[in-house]
Amino acid sequence: MESWRSLEHVLSMQGGDDDVSYVNNCYGPAAALALSKPMLTSAIRSIKLTRGSSSSSFFHLKIADLGCAIGDNTFSTIDTVVEVLRQKLAVDDDGSEPEFEVFFSDLPTNDFNTLFRSLDEKVMNGSIRKYFAAGVPGSFYKRLFPKGQLHVVVTMSALQWLSQIPEKVMEKGSKSWNKGRVWIEGAEKEVVEAYGEQSDKDLVEFLKCRKEEIVVGGVLFMLMGGRPSGSVSQIGDPDSSLKHPFTTLMDQAWQDLVDEGLIEEEKRDGFNIPVYFRSTEEIASAIDRCGGFKIEKTENLRIADHMNGKQEELMKDPDSYGRSRANYAQAGLKPIVEAYLGPDLTRKLFKRYAIGAAANKDILNKNCFYHMIAISAIRV
């Protein structure tokens, strides 16, 4: 990927509400959110807040969802946070209630129009407006808010995305050059190590920024793609390697474009997916080195692939199966692929991805699981 093309200006989940949109293909994050909800609830209950000195004052609590994307997942998360906080603080004797201000934050390329249109539709359909909302475009690897302003920060299924492709990975002929692949699963250890170094740098920067922005006693809740402790593989499950949208089928789709003479090998080798799945040890180490946070709880979550329950039905129609797989991949990857290849080649790439999935349906017809890590921390 061209060094001048900053990921901050091309990376986002696919907007809109069509078949390839993130809104209609966020099954994995939704499952992870459901499994992590008890831990999120517990984390919010652990927040340590004190009321204002004036008897007529009431809380004005500020909540931020970093890497919010679009769709029901982000609203479900915020609804949980607000409701638990309301229960915790209860209602004053004079009838006053805390007020909540929610900041939905993501990169400038995020589809904020769809996000806020959906929020408005919720209210129009009878939902009570539980909070005041605002959008904050920008990278969460940089400061986004004034010092000591936020009471709760959540980031759900976003921190596995890196701020940039490691420069070492783009050095042709070096041991860390990721030749022939677009992601790091199965790559040389030098490639994985380069990603690991970038991941560590990014996470420390993220934590430093949040340390400035969150009030003492506030909560930081992180849910991110991860891998099992001690696992060298990013996926950790052999059955999942072929099914994961970043791995075998994606590499083959790019190779198809090369074999058909639609792109040169050099063009393929210049594209890398900016994702790294951390282990719990890597996350804990970054938190410890950054300081300012006390880890309350850590959980490894095993998330069932959304296709597990549809196997029998989709096996009857390989083409539908292939399209479903390709739609899922496009929800997260289409914007950065299109920025690199352009619309025409992007369509051809994901068409070949769908064909590959359909052709491998018998191999793919196995239950598989992905790994997520949830961590709650208190600002100290």
Side-chain angles (χ1 to χ4, degrees), residues 2 36 38 54 56 66 97 109 138 183 198 261 269 272 284 308 318-319 367:
E2 294 95 331
S36 66
S54 172
S56 63
L66 307 186
E97 291 188 28
T109 44
W183 195 47
Q198 183 65 50
D269 294 339
N272 286 271
N308 288 357
D319 289 340
N367 288 347

Side-chain angles (χ1 to χ4, degrees), residues 93-336:
D93 293 338
D94 61 2
S96 63
E97 291 188 28
E99 290 191 334
F100 301 96
E101 187 174 8
V102 174
F103 301 101
F104 294 100
S105 180
D106 211 318
L107 294 174
T109 44
N110 186 58
D111 188 357
F112 283 102
N113 287 337
T114 293
L115 175 73
F116 284 103
R117 185 166 58 247
S118 299
L119 182 60
D120 188 57
E121 288 171 355
K122 282 167 60 73
V123 176
M124 291 178 65
N125 290 333
S127 296
I128 299 173
R129 186 178 292 277
K130 301 176 181 179
Y131 48 82
F132 300 95
V136 180
S139 170
F140 55 36
Y141 294 120
K142 301 175 183 177
R143 282 285 303 280
L144 294 167
F145 303 94
K147 291 184 177 181
Q149 291 294 306
L150 302 177
H151 299 90
V152 176
V153 172
V154 296
T155 176
M156 316 296 276
S157 302
L159 269 170
Q160 65 270 11
W161 293 93
L162 304 180
S163 67
Q164 66 177 65
I165 301 298
E167 293 181 4
K168 294 180 181 179
V169 173
M170 305 300 294
E171 295 175 357
K172 296 180 181 179
S174 69
K175 291 184 177 180
S176 56
W177 182 28
N178 196 24
K179 180 176 174 56
R181 298 179 184 276
V182 295
W183 195 47
I184 57 175
E185 178 67 11
E188 298 295 327
K189 67 179 181 67
E190 289 85 0
V191 177
V192 180
E193 288 171 354
Y195 265 74
E197 290 172 4
Q198 183 65 50
S199 166
D200 183 69
K201 178 182 177 182
D202 282 347
L203 184 55
V204 169
E205 286 302 310
F206 173 89
L207 292 167
K208 285 181 178 178
C209 293
R210 305 298 82 78
K211 183 169 66 172
E212 294 291 319
E213 297 165 349
I214 299 175
V215 301
V216 173
V219 168
L220 171 63
F221 188 88
M222 301 177 287
L223 176 68
M224 69 188 83
R227 70 182 195 276
S229 297
S231 174
V232 176
S233 167
Q234 286 278 291
I235 303 298
D237 182 346
D239 287 342
S240 300
S241 184
L242 181 58
K243 287 185 175 183
H244 199 287
F246 298 165
T247 54
T248 310
L249 290 175
M250 181 56 62
D251 280 336
Q252 185 57 55
W254 281 84
Q255 186 61 47
D256 288 343
L257 296 187
V258 173
D259 293 343
E260 294 169 30
L262 295 173
I263 62 172
E264 300 292 331
E265 282 193 14
E266 184 176 358
K267 185 71 172 177
R268 185 268 316 279
D269 294 339
F271 182 84
N272 286 271
I273 297 172
V275 165
Y276 182 83
F277 295 147
R278 303 175 180 92
S279 67
T280 53
E281 291 83 3
E282 288 172 324
I283 299 170
S285 174
I287 293 175
D288 182 63
R289 282 182 286 115
C290 177
F293 292 99
K294 176 187 176 184
I295 296 176
E296 292 287 291
K297 191 174 183 181
T298 302
E299 282 190 8
N300 257 300
L301 306 175
R302 197 163 180 254
I303 313 299
D305 176 60
H306 76 282
M307 299 288 276
N308 288 357
K310 304 178 181 179
Q311 300 290 3
E312 185 175 345
E313 174 187 349
L314 290 173
M315 286 294 285
K316 299 174 184 176
D317 185 353
D319 289 340
S320 292
Y321 182 91
R323 285 195 299 272
S324 179
R325 282 286 173 197
N327 289 347
Y328 189 62
Q330 289 185 81
L333 294 176
K334 185 180 177 182
I336 57 172

